[in-house]
Amino acid sequence: MRSKTSKWYECTCQYEKIMEDGSTKKVKETNVVDALSFTEAEQRFIEEMKEYINGEFDVTAIKIAPYKEVFFNDDDESADRWYKVILDFITVNEKTEKEQHSKTTYLFQAGTFEQAKKSVVEIMNGSMIDYVIVKIEETNLWSVFEYNNKDTE
């Protein structure tokens, strides 16, 4: 499992999808891209989606995604879903000796809820900080497009 810390944007598009029976249906899909600004996010999103959608599509929404880090699962072909994970990190203030809580949101690629939870536990086992898994929920994200600088490849 590899991770990437970036500024992430959730981008939604609407288009006419050809269904298996040959009919068309208007659908909305949400994807995540890493970018430096809304403008770059829209531009990158459009470029990525051109490869998957034949015909016209509209970008209907772009918002800053809450993910501090995205964890990609490149080793498991069944890891075709994205799970939003909220962790509550617990520290103790040395002066007041009171617990302090800090919630952080991550995005994990996994095939099942159980695989997502297992990945969280495996990654957090290498940490010295106490934490609680607040929530793991499957998202409706279709894909996550990370920035690849073609000049450096």
Side-chain angles (χ1 to χ4, degrees):
M1 180 146 288
R2 67 184 168 83
S3 69
K4 184 166 184 183
T5 305
S6 289
K7 188 168 186 181
W8 299 98
Y9 292 84
E10 287 186 354
C11 303
T12 304
C13 68
Q14 185 171 341
Y15 65 97
E16 295 272 335
K17 182 175 186 176
I18 299 173
M19 307 308 284
E20 288 182 15
D21 65 1
S23 64
T24 59
K25 179 181 178 182
K26 219 170 216 187
V27 296
K28 282 188 178 184
E29 287 183 355
T30 301
N31 300 277
V32 174
V33 298
D34 66 338
L36 299 173
S37 67
F38 280 94
T39 304
E40 182 186 359
E42 181 178 29
Q43 179 184 16
R44 290 204 50 244
F45 178 60
I46 290 169
E47 287 302 311
E48 293 286 354
M49 294 311 292
K50 281 182 183 177
E51 295 182 29
Y52 299 101
I53 299 175
N54 292 328
E56 295 182 20
F57 63 92
D58 293 318
V59 177
T60 57
I62 299 176
K63 68 179 183 178
I64 296 173
Y67 317 118
K68 180 177 182 195
E69 199 166 351
V70 174
F71 292 88
F72 295 89
N73 189 339
D74 298 326
D75 300 328
D76 186 357
E77 287 184 25
S78 69
D80 60 350
R81 297 182 181 120
W82 292 95
Y83 291 85
K84 179 179 173 180
V85 176
I86 300 174
L87 299 180
D88 184 9
F89 294 103
I90 305 164
T91 57
V92 176
N93 184 316
E94 291 180 14
K95 291 181 183 176
T96 64
E97 296 184 7
K98 291 185 178 179
E99 282 188 355
Q100 294 177 322
H101 295 264
S102 173
K103 290 184 180 164
T104 306
T105 304
Y106 298 96
L107 190 62
F108 278 79
Q109 183 180 22
T112 64
F113 176 89
E114 291 78 19
Q115 289 173 344
K117 185 176 180 182
K118 181 181 174 190
S119 295
V120 171
V121 171
E122 285 176 2
I123 287 167
M124 292 309 298
N125 276 344
S127 171
M128 298 288 287
I129 193 165
D130 291 331
Y131 73 97
V132 173
I133 298 174
V134 175
K135 182 190 284 188
I136 299 176
E137 66 181 0
E138 185 175 347
T139 69
N140 64 348
L141 297 175
W142 183 69
S143 191
V144 174
F145 301 113
E146 61 183 318
Y147 179 75
N148 291 314
N149 187 349
K150 293 181 175 100
D151 295 335
T152 60
E153 289 180 353

